[in-house]
Amino acid sequence: MVTIKDVARMAKVSPSTVSRVISDSKSISEPTKERVRAAMKELGYHPNVIARSLIRRSSQALGVVLSRSAESAFSNPFFAEILRGISKVTQRCQYSLVLATAENYKEEARQCLQMVMERRVDGVIILASRVNDQLIENLSETEHPFVVVGRVDGDQHHYAVNNDNIQAAYSAVRHLLNLGHKKVAFLNGPVEYTFCQDRYQGYVMAFREFGLTVDERYICHAENLHADGYKYSQQLLQLKPQPTAIFVADDLMVIGAYRAIKEAKLVIPDDIAVVGFNDDAFTNLLDPPLTTIRIPIYEMGKAAAETIIAVLNGDQVIPPQRILSSELLIRDSCGAKRLVRV
Amino acid sequence: MVTIKDVARMAKVSPSTVSRVISDSKSISEPTKERVRAAMKELGYHPNVIARSLIRRSSQALGVVLSRSAESAFSNPFFAEILRGISKVTQRCQYSLVLATAENYKEEARQCLQMVMERRVDGVIILASRVNDQLIENLSETEHPFVVVGRVDGDQHHYAVNNDNIQAAYSAVRHLLNLGHKKVAFLNGPVEYTFCQDRYQGYVMAFREFGLTVDERYICHAENLHADGYKYSQQLLQLKPQPTAIFVADDLMVIGAYRAIKEAKLVIPDDIAVVGFNDDAFTNLLDPPLTTIRIPIYEMGKAAAETIIAVLNGDQVIPPQRILSSELLIRDSCGAKRLVRV
DNA sequence: GTATAATGGTTACCATTAAAGATGTTGCAC
DNA sequence: GTGCAACATCTTTAATGGTAACCATTATAC
């Protein structure tokens, strides 16, 4: 294995000079730099990041916790997109990305804590915060920096990046109510996630504004974003009076919802309107194309990574919480276009 | 920061004794172990993996290269599922998972090589091999172990895990030909991937067996698995005579294909049969549920991780190439069930 | 002739572990 | 009871590859 000493010997300088050439210190003359670089190339030398990390007390790596059981997490386009944003920044800042993945959240949290305590990563990004998140509590005690994608309930001292879930859900439901719908059902995700709580709150807010009372029978909470859309949509469609619109808290559940609606011989949007959340790539290919909320997921990923790296650099991050805004994308499933056309 | 020395001081032993307690060496007496463990707990000590990696010359980490531009890669359920399999094993074997992600493959390959050369990871798993893969060539030169998920064309010396793409595509197309279809179109993915090449070969094989000639007009190659399904399906439907069946090389493109077919006022499977590939989670929720090929993706991920870890442990891996078999799942989109019913 | 800057060498770590060495203890033959 | 080997149990030492703080040397400016 080629070490810094081999390079030093070849370039006829001391190891520390080589080290300074690597970090491009300006106290080394250009000719020396050239000679050292030539030697590095000739020997095929690559600095050993492990050794560097040891003395610098920094691994130049960020941990990412998916915060879901791995089964459902990866295949969610949300994670895909946010990882893309994160990796964009880590790449630019020369950080590497370590994934904490496990079958369940508890195990994932354990792995994350271990990663941090063992110095494998300098900081952590937690995707999708939970209500009363145990990991967040434990991480806080370790004094290691972390940033949460989502809302941290209770404490306001954490670094966090989020989208405006309440506002976005509110505007989606308001949109449906404005179209004349009275029975707007809500197909929500697991209650333990803060984003589901927030979207619920936005739903309630819109009802309040229209002087309508929320009927809890028209609200259901799926346990699994992938599988449960179909099942719960069927339940909602059996209610009397039948809902004339469904607001779905995550686009993944829309596939199942569409199927249930079509099986019930209902036409979207004529018989029932549907509005989703996330603007996953496939939603534009559905029949009819889905009206949904576009979240700047990629930007959130970038913001999260930038935040944690800034904190690691000792920079001030003000404010610690950043909220990016979403946007209602009106396509065909809500019926608004049809109305305009008439 | 708590180090091994602090623990040693507290337990009144030498640092190396603490080290041996950590690795549970049997040359340490039980009372000493207890004393040391108590000290570790009291001080909240966690071994520094960086220092350990330095002397052990192993980072206990595996790199994963997605081998696609990050945009399309993450959101592909294939990667989700295979990462799940990989992480299952890495977790059990105490390895951590480092992701090489970038906007394009070239950059991703660069990052992967750097990871390896800088000793950040002990080995690499390459997902989805390409034809004439430059990364594979470069990695071979470094002597660092890696395993490919997919087929490596040319060389047979690499470790690889794959599914039986040729055989599976063959049986899917044979299934359609057996149902009486003559004009079976093929919506394939990017030609640079070996799995697309193999599925093409299976398609041709089935045609040969039935004594049919392959009409290249009925074959198209999408550049992007997400976006292009719709566009190319439209093209295929405009052919005269119109195809009576479409074999789609990746389920992701099926969403677009279904849309194009429905827009053309055709009924699946009555007017046109569709068979997909991958058995992505959503395919069972489509209308009609998709006949597709189930690949043991999770198992492939596990096998890939087990292979690379075995290689790192110096174990013999024979044979270096493992091929797992897939299975044709007959649902409603191919029309076979309808026939049986009649 | 001295102050200053430019340049690069020396040395002491960083946290851990493998290997070799030290210490005491036990077993057994004589 | 002594001598010696074998063993158990720990300590000491020397690495691992790299970097930063501190020097030493030389060149230039004043």
Side-chain angles (χ1 to χ4, degrees), chain A residues 6-266:
Chain A
D6 301 319
V7 177
R9 201 165 20 241
M10 179 160 208
K12 301 203 196 310
V13 291
S14 76
S16 53
T17 302
V18 179
S19 170
R20 267 123 116 182
V21 172
I22 293 166
S23 51
D24 205 23
S25 154
K26 51 180 175 288
S27 70
I28 303 290
S29 68
E30 209 44 59
T32 310
K33 277 185 184 175
E34 281 310 312
R35 211 168 70 241
V36 171
R37 288 206 188 99
M40 294 199 297
K41 197 162 189 180
E42 166 115 20
L43 292 169
Y45 169 77
H46 285 261
N48 183 323
V49 283
I50 304 285
R52 174 183 295 163
S53 294
L54 185 59
I55 188 119
R56 286 213 186 144
R57 285 116 176 262
S58 136
S59 59
Q60 287 284 303
L62 294 183
V64 176
V65 193
L66 295 178
S67 196
R68 307 227 183 151
S69 56
E71 296 109 288
S72 64
F74 282 124
S75 43
N76 189 329
F78 177 86
F79 291 95
E81 191 63 8
I82 206 148
L83 269 178
R84 193 166 74 85
I86 292 170
S87 74
K88 175 78 182 175
V89 175
T90 51
Q91 208 188 311
R92 195 182 57 219
C93 301
Q94 304 264 55
Y95 274 79
S96 52
L97 216 55
V98 182
L99 236 50
T101 55
E103 301 285 302
N104 58 66
Y105 185 51
K106 209 177 151 189
E107 182 57 30
E108 222 165 50
R110 197 196 57 72
Q111 228 189 303
C112 169
L113 278 167
Q114 195 178 327
M115 255 176 14
V116 169
M117 304 298 284
E118 293 181 343
R119 312 277 153 162
R120 206 184 275 279
V121 298
D122 295 338
V124 170
I125 299 174
I126 299 174
L127 303 185
S129 52
R130 285 153 180 258
V131 180
N132 294 323
D133 202 310
Q134 188 63 44
L135 172 59
I136 294 180
E137 229 165 88
N138 291 339
L139 265 177
S140 304
E141 290 164 11
T142 67
E143 310 261 310
H144 289 270
F146 65 95
V147 58
V148 176
V149 175
R151 179 174 59 81
V152 182
D153 61 353
D155 208 317
Q156 292 300 303
H157 301 323
H158 305 297
Y159 296 103
V161 174
N162 203 1
N163 68 300
D164 54 344
N165 279 308
I166 300 178
Q167 180 62 35
Y170 161 77
S171 68
V173 176
R174 189 187 54 185
H175 175 68
L176 287 169
L177 295 175
N178 270 333
L179 291 172
H181 293 283
K182 294 274 181 291
K183 291 289 172 198
V184 178
F186 182 26
L187 178 47
N188 201 3
V191 280
E192 68 255 36
Y193 295 113
T194 56
F195 74 84
C196 290
Q197 290 216 329
D198 290 355
R199 289 173 195 180
Y200 173 75
Q201 209 177 316
Y203 173 85
V204 172
M205 227 169 89
F207 268 67
R208 291 257 168 76
E209 199 189 74
F210 278 71
L212 299 167
T213 49
V214 173
D215 186 343
E216 288 290 337
R217 291 183 307 134
Y218 287 80
I219 298 171
C220 55
H221 297 277
E223 290 88 42
N224 183 304
L225 294 179
H226 270 96
D228 289 353
Y230 178 62
K231 183 174 77 181
Y232 284 108
S233 297
Q234 280 185 318
Q235 284 183 18
L236 288 174
L237 292 175
Q238 263 150 30
L239 290 170
K240 308 280 176 201
Q242 203 174 47
T244 61
I246 302 184
F247 173 46
V248 184
D250 192 303
D251 283 353
L252 282 179
M253 292 190 293
V254 167
I255 301 175
Y258 265 46
R259 189 183 173 203
I261 291 168
K262 286 172 182 175
E263 279 184 8
K265 306 280 179 217
L266 300 171

Side-chain angles (χ1 to χ4, degrees), chain B residues 263-305:
Chain B
E263 278 183 9
K265 305 280 179 215
L266 299 171
V267 176
I268 306 170
D270 304 79
D271 300 322
I272 188 159
V274 179
V275 174
F277 211 117
N278 263 22
D279 190 32
D280 287 342
F282 65 84
T283 57
N284 200 22
L285 299 173
L286 290 173
D287 174 35
L290 183 72
T291 291
T292 187
I293 289 161
R294 201 197 90 82
I295 315 176
I297 307 180
Y298 177 72
E299 285 72 22
M300 285 166 70
K302 280 177 64 172

Side-chain angles (χ1 to χ4, degrees), chain B residues 46-269:
Chain B
H46 285 260
N48 184 324
V49 284
I50 305 287
R52 173 181 296 165
S53 295
L54 184 59
I55 188 134
R56 286 209 185 147
R57 283 121 171 257
S58 136
S59 58
Q60 286 285 303
L62 294 182
V64 176
V65 194
L66 295 178
S67 195
R68 309 230 181 148
S69 56
E71 297 108 286
S72 63
F74 283 125
S75 42
N76 190 328
F78 177 85
F79 290 95
E81 191 63 7
I82 205 147
L83 269 179
R84 193 165 76 83
I86 292 170
S87 73
K88 175 79 183 173
V89 175
T90 53
Q91 208 189 309
R92 194 182 56 219
C93 303
Q94 303 265 56
Y95 273 80
S96 53
L97 216 56
V98 183
L99 235 51
T101 56
E103 301 286 303
N104 56 67
Y105 185 52
K106 211 178 150 188
E107 182 56 31
E108 221 166 51
R110 199 195 56 73
Q111 228 190 300
C112 169
L113 278 168
Q114 196 178 327
M115 249 173 25
V116 169
M117 304 298 284
E118 293 181 342
R119 311 277 154 160
R120 205 184 276 279
V121 298
D122 296 338
V124 170
I125 299 174
I126 299 174
L127 303 185
S129 52
R130 285 152 180 259
V131 180
N132 293 323
D133 202 311
Q134 189 62 46
L135 172 59
I136 293 180
E137 228 165 89
N138 291 339
L139 265 178
S140 305
E141 289 165 10
T142 67
E143 309 260 311
H144 290 268
F146 65 94
V147 58
V148 176
V149 175
R151 178 174 60 80
V152 182
D153 59 354
D155 208 318
Q156 293 299 304
H157 301 321
H158 306 297
Y159 297 103
V161 174
N162 203 2
N163 68 299
D164 54 344
N165 279 307
I166 299 177
Q167 181 61 34
Y170 161 77
S171 68
V173 176
R174 187 187 55 185
H175 175 69
L176 287 168
L177 296 174
N178 270 333
L179 291 172
H181 293 282
K182 294 274 179 293
K183 291 289 173 195
V184 178
F186 182 27
L187 177 47
N188 200 2
V191 281
E192 68 253 39
Y193 295 113
T194 55
F195 73 84
C196 291
Q197 291 217 328
D198 290 356
R199 289 173 196 181
Y200 173 76
Q201 209 177 314
Y203 173 86
V204 171
M205 227 169 90
F207 267 67
R208 291 255 169 76
E209 200 189 74
F210 277 72
L212 299 167
T213 50
V214 173
D215 185 343
E216 288 289 336
R217 292 181 307 134
Y218 286 81
I219 298 171
C220 54
H221 297 277
E223 290 87 43
N224 182 307
L225 294 180
H226 270 96
D228 289 353
Y230 178 62
K231 184 174 75 181
Y232 284 107
S233 297
Q234 280 185 319
Q235 285 182 18
L236 289 174
L237 292 175
Q238 263 151 30
L239 291 168
K240 307 280 175 196
Q242 203 175 47
T244 61
I246 303 185
F247 173 46
V248 184
D250 191 304
D251 283 352
L252 281 179
M253 292 190 293
V254 167
I255 300 175
Y258 266 45
R259 188 181 174 206
I261 290 168
K262 286 172 183 176
E263 278 183 9
K265 305 280 179 215
L266 299 171
V267 176
I268 306 170

Side-chain angles (χ1 to χ4, degrees), chain A residues 320-334:
Chain A
Q321 264 115 27
R322 283 180 61 186
I323 295 186
L324 309 189
S325 51
S326 341
E327 167 195 13
L328 181 65
L329 275 179
I330 294 172
R331 292 203 276 249
D332 300 342
S333 68
C334 61

